[in-house]
Amino acid sequence: MENIGVIELEGMEFKAYHGCLEQEKVRGNVFTVDFRGELDLSAAAESDDLNDTLNYGEIYGIVADEMSVPSELLENVAGRIVKAIEVRFPELASFSVRVSKKRPPVDGVAQWSRVTLFHQS
């Protein structure tokens, strides 16, 4: 019997240098990344063994690695994170990655700009 479940890692925060404007590339900004993955958690529910589930410490490591590589577009950052997670965790039925930039440089008030990419197996 499958126990499809959700594992989330929200609010991963990074100082990074993503953006199209020169000031973003020099000063950097605060970014958050949220991960949500769906997978069969039957084995982990029975075994209480980390080897039977998704290690979210590894997810964090993948995200941190990709966030350290400057990009002009949030779409590119999110796309690289999705590809790296897909390669490392092919057992994920589906997952999403949301990358958010705090106080984006716009002509007005905006708390965040965000891009979310979804992956389906």
Side-chain angles (χ1 to χ4, degrees), residues 19-40:
C20 296
L21 302 178
E22 193 60 33
Q23 70 186 26
E24 296 177 291
K25 296 173 185 179
V26 173
R27 290 184 187 156
N29 201 342
V30 174
F31 294 81
T32 63
V33 179
D34 302 311
F35 167 83
R36 182 182 192 279
E38 296 180 9
L39 68 159
D40 183 358

Side-chain angles (χ1 to χ4, degrees), residues 57-72:
E58 289 186 45
I59 294 290
Y60 185 91
I62 289 169
V63 171
D65 287 347
E66 295 302 333
M67 289 300 292
S68 71
V69 178
S71 293
E72 291 202 357

Side-chain angles (χ1 to χ4, degrees), residues 23 54 94 109 113:
Q23 70 186 26
L54 182 90
S94 65
V109 177
S113 59

Side-chain angles (χ1 to χ4, degrees), residues 1-27:
M1 180 175 162
E2 283 191 350
N3 288 312
I4 298 299
V6 174
I7 291 182
E8 296 175 299
L9 192 56
E10 291 189 350
M12 293 176 270
E13 189 171 294
F14 303 91
K15 169 87 181 253
Y17 299 87
H18 308 304
C20 296
L21 302 178
E22 193 60 33
Q23 70 186 26
E24 296 177 291
K25 296 173 185 179
V26 173
R27 290 184 187 156

Side-chain angles (χ1 to χ4, degrees), residues 53-101:
T53 190
L54 182 90
N55 182 336
Y56 54 75
E58 289 186 45
I59 294 290
Y60 185 91
I62 289 169
V63 171
D65 287 347
E66 295 302 333
M67 289 300 292
S68 71
V69 178
S71 293
E72 291 202 357
L73 300 177
L74 295 181
E75 292 86 343
N76 181 261
V77 179
R80 288 188 286 108
I81 294 169
V82 165
K83 285 180 189 174
I85 291 172
E86 177 186 23
V87 167
R88 174 61 189 92
F89 297 104
E91 67 271 21
L92 281 166
S94 65
F95 65 92
S96 64
V97 171
R98 180 170 73 173
V99 179
S100 305
K101 180 191 303 189

